[in-house]
Amino acid sequence: MSRTRLSIGMLIAAIGAFVLFFPVLAELLTDWWWYREVGFDVVFRRQLAIRFLLFVLGGGVAAATIWANLRVGRRGRVPGPLIVPFGESTARIELPAGLPRLARILPIVVGVLAGLIASTSWAIVLQLWYGTPFGVADPVFSRDVGYYVFTLPAATALLGFLSGLVTISLLLTVPLYVFRGRIAVLPRELRIDRTAGLHVASLLAIAFVLTAMRLWAVDLPNLLYSTTGPLVGASYTDLHATRPAIHLSAVLALAAAAVVFMGGIRNSLPRYAMAALVGYFGMAFVARGLLPPLVQKFVVTPTELTREMPYLRHHIAATRKAWAIDSVETRELTGEATLTLADLKANSATIENVRLWDRDPLLQTFGQLQEIRTYYDFVSVDDDRYMIDGTYRQVLLSPRELNPASLPTRTFINEHLTFTHGMGLTLGPVNQVTAEGLPVLFVKDLPPTSSVSLTVTRPQIYFGELSNEWVIVGTKQREFDHPSGDDNVYEAYAGTAGVPIAGLWRRALFASRFGATNILFSQDLTSQSRVLFYRNIRGRAEKALPMLRFDRDPFLVIAADGKLVWMLDGYTTTRRYPYAQRMDDGTNYMRNSVKVVVDAYDGSIKAYVSAPTDPLIRTWARAFPGIFVALDQMPADLRAHLRYPDDLYRTQAALYTTYHMDAPEDFYHREDQWQIPVTEKADGSVPFMRHLVMRLPDEKAAEFIYMVPFTPRGKDNLAAWMVARNDGAAYGKLLVYSLPRQSLVFGPKQIANRINQNTEISRQVSLWDQRGSTVLRGDLLVIPIEESLLYVQPLYLQAEGGRIPELKRVVVAYQNQVVMEQTLEGALASLFGASATTRTPESAIATDTTGSAGRGSVAVDAELQAMLDEARRHYQNAVEAQREGDWARYGAEIKALGQVLDRIGAGSARSAR
């Protein structure tokens, strides 16, 4: 009977273990297959090997330590009743019979938990082993920064682990001795057996020694991250009060260890231990708790700038170095230049790429006009630039992704076998508008068609920003490709992505991983079926490259062969750069070290090193050989679409508002601190940052830049503007154009106020509002031209209950002048007297190659051009009045148009004579 019960118990235990560990095994094996499929198996293998090694070492050391301490504690007297003082007498408590068995289980439990905790430090171990010097020494201890980034975290983790083991050993050993009667708590006495006393004294002494080591090896270097003074880093108080106090505390900890151990040898542990503890903590409290605040208040604060001057200098230099703003190039502008028509024509590439479409209104328009079916979504709109028909153009594009949540019927077959991918994208210029106020589209519809030199040859999007559900390809079910009228087009997946799912064993593992029993029993799967998972672009990159942090905004690129690929910026970061200013999450060093390219069709991942001198990426490249390739191996057509990373630029710009002041006196007083203007959106304030195609002052050609203006803190006038360059050899360079402090150049908020106060603009906006339409104000654009600034703001009109914003007006501001016209060319003509571009006049509404009415421009005589612009304005005003039913205004505009046409005719006759 007993054998039968034992067999049943073992069977139940085996089933329980299988149920508990099978999901873990399923995730581990399916991940291994995925890493092999994408070619990053070295990441999986090395990470798993280090984790396993740390688990075995950490768990083994912890289990052995606890076992040895409990083994020593269990020797000798057999445990009897526990004697507990109760007033003037004592109480006897009988101990549980299972207590000895618990002592045998505890080392295993502690070992497993310690091993799991230790295994999380795999990155620390790899960085310690493969760490690369920074070539920069800290200003206090003269150690290479690599010590703080790679070695110090390992020392901290090791000492913390050992201190934790000693603490757990004490917490288990002392009660064990009490239970066994070798430590007796009597009413007026604490009686400790000599052997028990020596054991506990040894543990306490080791704890004090580890404390001394932590003080010396960890707390001293950590002074370089202190926030005691007006900076991040070791300040006057840290180096003249806290540092000597740490030295003293370390010596006291060693002395306390000796005193405690002596107490154990002399069988007087309570008295010696109390003296050591009181002496150490008392002196530490005075030296480290009281003295530094007193020094800060009475010595530093009265003459803070003088005392902190050298440390401010260290902090400024370290912050600028850590965040790569020490190489920002600065150029001075006079602030007195006057913009002329000749300047506009010389910068026609800038004018012709002014962005009249904002992302939010354009996303709404794409959603209404180009989603085609309810299960397609446009998730985001991205800026980019292409050579289109031989012209450098800035465009806005958005991929059309499949949203499984919007499928009319959500079943296993629909979600995972049939509707597997998105389809194509929508792309249009930033500045062209149809006669109806809608965006001109170069690439549109399903399947995607192009009216320009861009072509999309493989439009299917299996991997994207929205793609997060797993799908299975190569099944008996037909894959939906795209709608065609009332019919659907189906096409089987022909790519290489996916993990084979043939066989019952693999099916069972994937069914467990995804919680989908249909995988196990479906008759639609074949020996050729493959499962695609980790399809979200950012999640896929994070899984393949867990040592990196990734930008929030992947963007889609049309390659030269018409394939769609995603590009994503990867960062190496640390929180351990000495003296550097940190962000809210503690990061105080960041480099855009990797450009990740993910094919939207087959999911292939390529990681290109974009910062080869970064010690962190060099360290990871040594730790995981073969997964990173040099940037010059990226195809040229993709390199043409590199752009400065958004997250890094935002942080650098925010820091530069303060850290452009590299003189400690200026920095301390903040007398020239800047701020970044904000744009008010429906979901809150966002920094005023724009992508533009423009020709920078003193440069020869237009280029794609990322621009941010700066205003003085607490003021609205413009102080400077920064650009991140994106094209060619200039990629990655930061350039700041600063204005004289005595000049007054209107900033974005001041211009926005002037626009709001303009009577003509206010009247028109009020008129639209009264008729039930909603006026949407577009992003205010700052357009630098030579040494002057133009401000441009588009206005959109959205009908009541409608969801398609239409571009109705363009506001242009220059110096004290604000004008509003139906087109940018019209507004510029009102300000400067003639067209500033070299295209066909927008008054000539012609059908473009997309089938939409487009607007263009040609160089003509200035006087004739002005009359043509005037005619165009009257014509478009008449069309608008006709739509609104304002026939009186319609008649007046037609009459004015006739008069202008008469003048044009007279001028042509004179020219003919």
Side-chain angles (χ1 to χ4, degrees):
M1 180 66 71
S2 61
R3 289 184 177 180
T4 302
R5 289 179 177 176
L6 180 61
S7 299
I8 293 174
M10 293 179 63
L11 179 61
I12 293 174
I15 294 174
F18 178 80
V19 172
L20 181 63
F21 290 107
F22 187 75
V24 177
L25 177 65
E27 183 168 358
L28 188 68
L29 283 178
T30 53
D31 272 352
W32 162 237
W33 295 331
W34 181 84
Y35 274 103
R36 284 199 307 177
E37 184 251 320
V38 298
F40 283 70
D41 49 308
V42 65
V43 176
F44 181 88
R45 287 188 284 104
R46 189 152 293 185
Q47 185 180 347
L48 183 64
I50 297 298
R51 282 179 178 271
F52 179 75
L53 181 62
L54 289 174
F55 177 82
V56 172
L57 288 178
V61 170
T65 301
I66 301 303
W67 177 84
N69 279 284
L70 294 180
R71 173 73 179 232
V72 172
R74 291 171 60 198
R75 291 186 305 181
R77 187 185 310 169
V78 178
L82 179 62
I83 301 175
V84 179
F86 188 76
E88 295 295 327
S89 60
T90 58
R92 298 169 61 86
I93 301 176
E94 295 295 332
L95 299 178
L99 192 62
R101 188 180 305 167
L102 179 63
R104 290 192 290 271
I105 296 174
L106 275 175
I108 298 175
V109 174
V110 172
V112 170
L113 293 177
L116 292 173
I117 293 171
S119 67
T120 62
S121 300
W122 64 271
I124 293 176
V125 171
L126 286 175
Q127 285 187 318
L128 175 66
W129 188 260
Y130 293 103
T132 303
F134 274 66
V136 178
D138 79 89
V140 175
F141 302 106
S142 299
R143 294 191 181 109
D144 186 87
V145 170
Y147 170 83
Y148 300 93
V149 175
F150 304 128
T151 306
L152 186 57
T156 303
L158 178 61
L159 290 173
F161 181 80
L162 295 177
S163 297
L165 277 184
V166 173
T167 301
I168 293 172
S169 298
L170 278 168
L171 293 176
L172 294 177
T173 303
V174 171
L176 179 62
Y177 280 128
V178 173
F179 293 153
R180 299 183 70 87
R182 301 177 73 173
I183 295 179
V185 184
L186 302 177
R188 299 181 181 278
E189 181 184 3
L190 177 63
R191 184 178 301 165
I192 302 178
D193 179 87
R194 182 181 182 85
T195 304
L198 189 58
H199 185 189
V200 173
S202 299
L203 290 175
L204 284 172
I206 293 173
F208 274 118
V209 170
L210 290 173
T211 299
M213 293 175 64
R214 191 190 71 247
L215 287 165
W216 196 270
V218 176
D219 289 5
L220 267 179
N222 277 339
L223 288 178
L224 301 186
Y225 312 105
S226 170
T227 56
T228 301
L231 59 120
V232 174
S235 63
Y236 182 93
T237 299
D238 293 317
L239 296 182
H240 292 81
T242 306
R243 183 181 181 181
I246 291 176
H247 288 155
L248 176 62
S249 296
V251 173
L252 288 175
L254 292 176
V259 169
V260 168
F261 191 70
M262 184 64 68
I265 293 176
R266 296 185 176 182
N267 201 22
S268 300
L269 179 60
R271 182 163 55 89
Y272 278 75
M274 183 61 68
L277 290 170
V278 171
Y280 172 75
F281 285 107
M283 289 298 295
F285 175 74
V286 172
R288 299 169 60 193
L290 293 181
L291 182 59
L294 292 175
V295 171
Q296 181 68 28
K297 182 175 183 179
F298 295 107
V299 177
V300 176
T301 301
T303 55
E304 188 173 52
L305 178 57
T306 302
R307 301 283 186 185
E308 303 289 14
M309 182 81 74
Y311 314 112
L312 283 170
R313 188 174 290 109
H314 299 332
H315 170 67
I316 295 169
T319 299
R320 289 167 61 91
K321 185 76 173 178
W323 290 101
I325 55 177
D326 58 330
S327 58
V328 174
E329 181 183 352
T330 59
R331 297 181 185 177
E332 299 289 337
L333 299 177
T334 63
E336 300 174 354
T338 300
L339 195 60
T340 65
L341 182 60
D343 294 328
L344 295 181
K345 290 186 175 181
N347 290 270
S348 59
T350 301
I351 299 298
E352 292 166 3
N353 283 285
V354 171
R355 198 181 79 186
L356 299 181
W357 285 105
D358 288 355
R359 295 184 181 188
D360 292 341
L362 194 61
L363 192 61
Q364 295 182 48
T365 303
F366 284 171
Q368 293 300 304
L369 301 180
Q370 285 291 305
E371 279 183 1
I372 313 297
R373 295 287 177 90
T374 58
Y375 40 77
Y376 287 125
D377 270 351
F378 290 102
V379 181
S380 63
V381 176
D382 289 308
D383 289 271
D384 207 344
R385 71 285 196 197
Y386 288 84
M387 289 297 295
I388 297 177
D389 297 330
T391 303
Y392 191 65
R393 301 292 299 273
Q394 184 176 351
V395 300
L396 290 166
L397 63 115
S398 183
R400 185 185 292 105
E401 298 198 49
L402 182 77
N403 185 357
S406 299
L407 289 172
T409 305
R410 299 189 64 184
T411 63
F412 169 75
I413 291 176
N414 275 355
E415 288 193 57
H416 303 293
L417 306 185
T418 300
F419 293 91
T420 57
H421 58 274
M423 189 66 176
L425 75 161
T426 298
L427 179 149
V430 295
N431 64 326
Q432 283 187 260
V433 188
T434 69
E436 294 78 21
L438 299 177
V440 170
L441 301 179
F442 288 162
V443 180
K444 61 178 181 177
D445 297 339
L446 286 173
T449 60
S450 174
S451 61
V452 292
S453 54
L454 293 177
T455 57
V456 180
T457 58
R458 197 173 62 187
Q460 293 83 1
I461 300 176
Y462 281 84
F463 302 87
E465 292 183 88
L466 199 59
S467 308
N468 204 25
E469 290 288 336
W470 52 274
V471 297
I472 302 177
V473 297
T475 69
K476 295 178 182 179
Q477 289 290 329
R478 295 188 300 170
E479 280 188 64
F480 172 79
D481 195 58
H482 63 273
S484 179
D486 295 331
D487 299 323
N488 292 330
V489 177
Y490 296 86
E491 183 175 329
Y493 180 68
T496 58
V499 176
I501 199 173
L504 183 62
W505 170 242
R506 287 191 173 230
R507 284 198 187 195
L509 289 172
F510 279 108
S512 172
R513 179 188 180 112
F514 299 129
T517 56
N518 286 322
I519 294 178
L520 198 58
F521 302 110
S522 175
Q523 299 299 311
D524 291 316
L525 305 189
T526 70
S527 60
Q528 302 301 315
S529 298
R530 283 170 291 159
V531 59
L532 279 59
F533 56 111
Y534 292 126
R535 297 199 302 136
N536 176 269
I537 292 301
R538 184 168 175 176
R540 191 173 183 84
E542 288 172 344
K543 190 67 179 178
L545 300 164
M547 73 293 296
L548 301 179
R549 180 189 299 185
F550 289 94
D551 196 87
R552 74 185 82 182
D553 186 26
F555 57 98
L556 194 68
V557 173
I558 304 175
D561 58 2
K563 297 178 181 178
L564 301 180
V565 297
W566 292 93
M567 299 187 74
L568 180 61
D569 290 291
Y571 305 107
T572 47
T573 63
T574 183
R575 302 179 179 185
R576 307 298 303 176
Y577 200 99
Y579 268 106
Q581 180 66 30
R582 62 176 68 103
M583 296 297 101
D584 292 339
D585 64 352
T587 301
N588 65 2
Y589 173 94
M590 178 183 283
R591 289 293 184 274
N592 175 215
S593 298
V594 177
K595 302 287 185 180
V596 177
V597 175
V598 181
D599 192 290
Y601 187 73
D602 63 29
S604 60
I605 305 171
K606 293 289 183 64
Y608 298 94
V609 176
S610 53
T613 60
D614 171 42
L616 282 168
I617 199 60
R618 292 170 63 191
T619 296
W620 289 122
R622 293 175 62 199
F624 299 107
I627 66 172
F628 299 108
V629 295
L631 187 62
D632 57 15
Q633 295 185 36
M634 179 185 286
D637 60 314
L638 297 184
R639 283 205 308 273
H641 293 278
L642 293 178
R643 71 181 191 187
Y644 203 86
D646 185 65
D647 289 348
L648 177 60
Y649 188 55
R650 288 172 183 268
T651 305
Q652 288 176 316
L655 286 168
Y656 198 77
T657 59
T658 300
Y659 289 88
H660 71 277
M661 300 177 287
D662 53 5
E665 299 92 335
D666 297 339
F667 180 88
Y668 180 82
H669 295 300
R670 299 292 201 271
E671 62 181 32
D672 191 26
Q673 188 171 9
W674 298 339
Q675 62 188 11
I676 299 174
V678 297
T679 301
E680 297 299 331
K681 297 282 188 179
D683 53 352
S685 301
V686 295
F688 193 106
M689 308 178 79
R690 308 284 188 264
H691 282 99
L692 303 170
V693 167
M694 61 167 289
R695 185 175 70 84
L696 295 172
D698 301 325
E699 298 293 336
K700 295 181 179 179
E703 57 187 285
F704 188 60
I705 57 99
Y706 198 4
M707 186 262 197
V708 56
F710 298 124
T711 61
R713 185 181 61 173
K715 297 182 180 180
D716 296 326
N717 59 289
L718 202 66
W721 46 278
M722 172 188 278
V723 296
R725 305 178 71 177
N726 294 280
D727 290 349
Y731 171 79
K733 294 182 179 180
L734 298 179
L735 187 58
V736 170
Y737 293 89
S738 60
L739 297 162
R741 295 176 64 177
Q742 67 274 12
S743 67
L744 176 61
V745 178
F746 291 133
K749 187 174 181 180
Q750 292 171 319
I751 293 296
N753 291 336
R754 294 181 67 86
I755 292 173
N756 293 334
Q757 294 165 4
N758 183 277
T759 54
E760 175 60 25
I761 296 174
S762 299
R763 184 194 65 78
Q764 184 62 65
V765 170
S766 299
L767 182 62
W768 281 328
D769 286 338
Q770 290 170 6
R771 293 175 179 173
S773 299
T774 301
V775 178
L776 305 176
R777 295 179 181 269
D779 288 342
L780 182 64
L781 304 175
V782 182
I783 312 296
I785 298 179
E786 301 301 341
E787 293 200 7
S788 300
L789 294 174
L790 273 181
Y791 285 89
V792 177
Q793 184 177 45
L795 298 182
Y796 310 96
L797 194 62
Q798 189 168 348
E800 184 176 8
R803 298 182 61 187
I804 303 180
E806 298 177 1
L807 179 63
K808 285 299 180 184
R809 295 289 187 274
V810 179
V811 179
V812 176
Y814 172 64
Q815 294 182 348
N816 294 318
Q817 305 174 71
V818 177
V819 299
M820 180 179 71
E821 295 292 345
Q822 291 190 343
T823 64
L824 175 62
E825 280 82 353
L828 292 175
S830 296
L831 282 174
F832 299 100
S835 174
T837 66
T838 58
R839 296 190 192 160
T840 24
E842 294 184 2
S843 53
I845 306 284
T847 302
D848 66 13
T849 52
T850 67
S852 303
R855 301 171 183 174
S857 349
V858 270
V860 293
D861 177 78
E863 182 180 356
L864 177 59
Q865 179 65 62
M867 289 189 289
L868 288 173
D869 290 336
E870 186 179 356
R872 181 242 326 133
R873 288 196 298 273
H874 289 307
Y875 169 76
Q876 292 178 345
N877 288 339
V879 171
E880 183 175 336
Q882 183 183 34
R883 289 177 184 168
E884 297 173 352
D886 189 346
W887 299 109
R889 181 184 167 207
Y890 173 80
E893 293 293 345
I894 289 296
K895 181 179 179 180
L897 175 60
Q899 293 171 350
V900 175
L901 291 176
D902 288 341
R903 296 204 322 265
I904 292 175
S908 299
R910 286 195 303 269
S911 298
R913 290 196 301 268

